[in-house]
Amino acid sequence: MPKMTIPLHGEVDQTVPLSVREVLARRIDPQVMGNVVAGRLDGRPVDLSTPLASDAVLEPVMGDEPLGLEILRHSTAHLLAHAVKRLHPQAQITIGPVIEDGFYYDFLVEPPFSAEDLPGIERVMREIVAEDWPIERRVMTRDEAIRFFSERGEAYKAEIIREIPEGEVISLYRQGEFQDLCRGPHVPSTGRLRDFKLTQVAGAYWRGDSRNVMLTRVYGTAWASPEALAQYLERIEEAEKRDHRRLAKLMDLFHFQEEAPGMVFWHETGWLLYRIIEDYVRGKLAAAGYREVHTPLMLDRTLWERSGHADKFGTQMFSVVVENREYAIKPMNCPAHVQIFNQGIRSYRELPLRLAEFGVCHRNEPSGTLHGLLRARAFVQDDAHIFCTPDQVEPEAVAFIRLLFDVYRDFGFTDIEIKLSTRPAQRVGDDELWDRAEQALSQALQHQNLSFAIQPGEGAFYGPKIEFSLRDTLGRVWQCGTLQLDYVLPERLGASFVNAHGDKERVVMLHRAILGSLERFIGILLEHHAGALPLWLAPVQVALLTITDQQDGYARQVARVLEQAGLRVCLDLRNEKIGLKIRERSIQRVPYLVVIGPKEAAAGRLAVRRQNGTNLGEISLENFVADLTRERNRRGLDVVED
RNA sequence: GCCGCAGUAACUCAGUUGGUAGAGUAGCUGAUUCGUAAUCAGCAAGUCGGAGGUUCGAAUCCUCUCUGCGGCACCA
């Protein structure tokens, strides 16, 4: 409904104060009133029960607008806590905020809930809804509130109240026998909460700190209508269908197994995809003046001590002991690249020197974090280090950002988030150096009219950095690209050059990656496209499907022509029905399926259909090759014209 | 690493209170030569993640351990 604004002049009767609900009910159709969850008084969200004390401007807050949904979800979080307390009076309530698409509530409860407890909790929630308790606000002093919760054994609530700043109003909301500390506002009664579902349980640390106790977190979702709830649940299902680990099985790309946790077994088709991407980036880097190198997988521990990695990340490095020497498997390539830079005496004339490497890195990621390709222990980055003079930092940054956007566009990603992380409290280098470094990076971004967020204090101790994140079709954000300025590593590993005056000068290093880990990027790509990769990336681009063995000869000829045009072809001559062949290749996400029967063989043509089921009808081989070549070469710029 | 859950045939899963494992798909064999998302029949297939324990007897109960899944913390 259109936003309604009610100026209250003349509506407020000082002797008998009206509530927000009463005033709104005078203007709003009773049926519509059922969707009003709260009011906005001079722009401030308030409960419907709020008495109107003075003239103001009042608007209704509908359940399906963003603020209204937030209120619904927050009230549903209270409902959840209410149900939990009813089932487990000894449980302690802590916090229950609204999050994207839902809410959660953290409890201290022994033993912790498991997923089987959710239906029972949900049942009690629905009972409380049926009881339709009014939700009432009241205000307490700090001491009253602390005493109130302490007496009820709610130590966490009391702790939260102690930390509320002086002068802030402390309000509680009551529904039946349950009361919770809350700023509000809330829906007027529990009967208003209908379209919700508890989705999962998980452990979560009190205050997000792993040194604290682990609480039990219950996640839920709530919406303004059954349709909206159903739509959300469908969206979740859709996302599950896109899971890259599931797609990998269907498409026969890779697998994991117990003996190599977090490390990928790439199958033939998956490795083909991997090489397509690696070769593409390799070409881009070469064109941008990078030199590709290759360095050892493991290096003596002493080098990592000198570089500072052993100190900071030692526990996350794999190591091997042989003949009393300890080698650390590299978690990154940079110290090795410095070794290459350090061979001989470098002149300023050689700078900038850009060293790239597709080297396998290993990081002992904590076991609980592994997640298919998206968080692996062995991976390859499109990694490179630029050794340059301080003056070259900005132009190098500009060139890098251009290259990065070029690459992202080819992969079909245009929605990029940029964050600049500036000097942290713990850092090395003087302020003047940091001023210059931060300015070089931010000017490089501004130079290209890119908008970016600043994350103050989030830079690495050795220099500021820019992070580039992609937003995929499901709206999820993935950090991929990075550009980091580093003054420390050259210092620690003694990397310098001779400047134009013949003096030795410390070189500046830029760490940079565009895709980040190739493994992770492939996982993102698969989920982004639901496995249906753009033509240029598809490991198999065309499947030729024969109707009977009478067409084998013609199909072979067609395959040869397509292969000569540089297309990746699968020739399916099996004695199977065409329906089965189409089904299998569709599941494998082959972009183009070509049916070859007696008709096509006789006419020397092709019956073409897309992976998504669109039938393109009969095409000549010549036109087919031309169309596909064009589509392939367009890469990310392709707009499929159906 | 922490909390919860799970691990049964190549894959997806079923297997009531303990009584020596079952389906669909894939595979193999045979038949079928077929027009746009599953042709039919037969056969074969499992130390029930691993180790230990309880028991006359364990996929099932207990302990330990590994791996995976969902979160949390972490992510150079």
Side-chain angles (χ1 to χ4, degrees), chain A residues 81-150:
Chain A
H82 188 170
V84 165
K85 286 296 282 185
R86 208 176 253 191
L87 284 164
H88 307 271
Q90 77 295 349
Q92 283 199 51
I93 54 175
T94 68
I95 55 161
V98 173
I99 52 173
E100 194 174 351
D101 296 332
F103 59 89
Y104 66 78
Y105 211 110
D106 286 350
F107 304 95
L108 181 71
V109 58
E110 251 339 294
F113 295 136
S114 75
E116 280 106 75
D117 296 314
L118 294 186
I121 298 172
E122 216 177 289
R123 208 170 308 124
V124 175
M125 287 170 77
R126 305 226 178 259
E127 275 168 33
I128 299 167
V129 168
E131 290 160 14
D132 197 17
W133 295 103
I135 301 177
E136 297 158 331
R137 174 190 165 95
R138 63 172 167 147
V139 173
M140 277 190 187
T141 66
R142 173 184 307 264
D143 291 343
E144 277 171 349
I146 291 173
R147 198 171 339 113
F148 177 84
F149 284 108
S150 300

Side-chain angles (χ1 to χ4, degrees), chain A residues 31-79:
Chain A
Q31 239 180 331
V32 177
M33 201 55 204
N35 294 325
V36 176
V37 295
R40 219 186 251 108
L41 196 58
D42 283 339
R44 192 168 42 88
V46 292
D47 293 305
L48 288 179
S49 58
T50 310
L52 293 169
S54 61
D55 288 340
V57 173
L58 179 64
E59 288 167 292
V61 175
M62 310 304 291
D64 56 2
E65 62 176 285
L67 176 63
L69 267 176
E70 213 175 284
I71 292 169
L72 269 178
R73 287 168 183 160
H74 205 164
S75 295
T76 313
H78 276 218
L79 177 64

Side-chain angles (χ1 to χ4, degrees), chain A residues 273 276-277 410-411 525 529 533-539 541 568:
Chain A
L273 171 60
I276 290 163
I277 293 171
D410 278 346
F411 282 103
L525 258 187
H529 293 288
L533 296 167
L535 190 67
W536 75 283
L537 289 169
Q541 296 168 313
R568 298 181 287 269

Side-chain angles (χ1 to χ4, degrees), chain A residues 547-564:
Chain A
I547 301 280
T548 76
D549 55 14
Q550 297 302 301
Q551 291 86 50
D552 287 4
Y554 176 62
R556 284 205 175 89
Q557 271 178 41
V558 172
R560 207 158 350 167
V561 173
L562 295 177
E563 273 161 3
Q564 273 165 9

Side-chain angles (χ1 to χ4, degrees), chain A residues 253 266-276 278 519:
Chain A
L253 301 176
W266 285 103
H267 299 8
E268 183 189 342
T269 313
W271 190 241
L272 184 51
L273 171 60
Y274 187 105
R275 274 158 44 220
I276 290 163
E278 191 185 79
E519 282 75 2

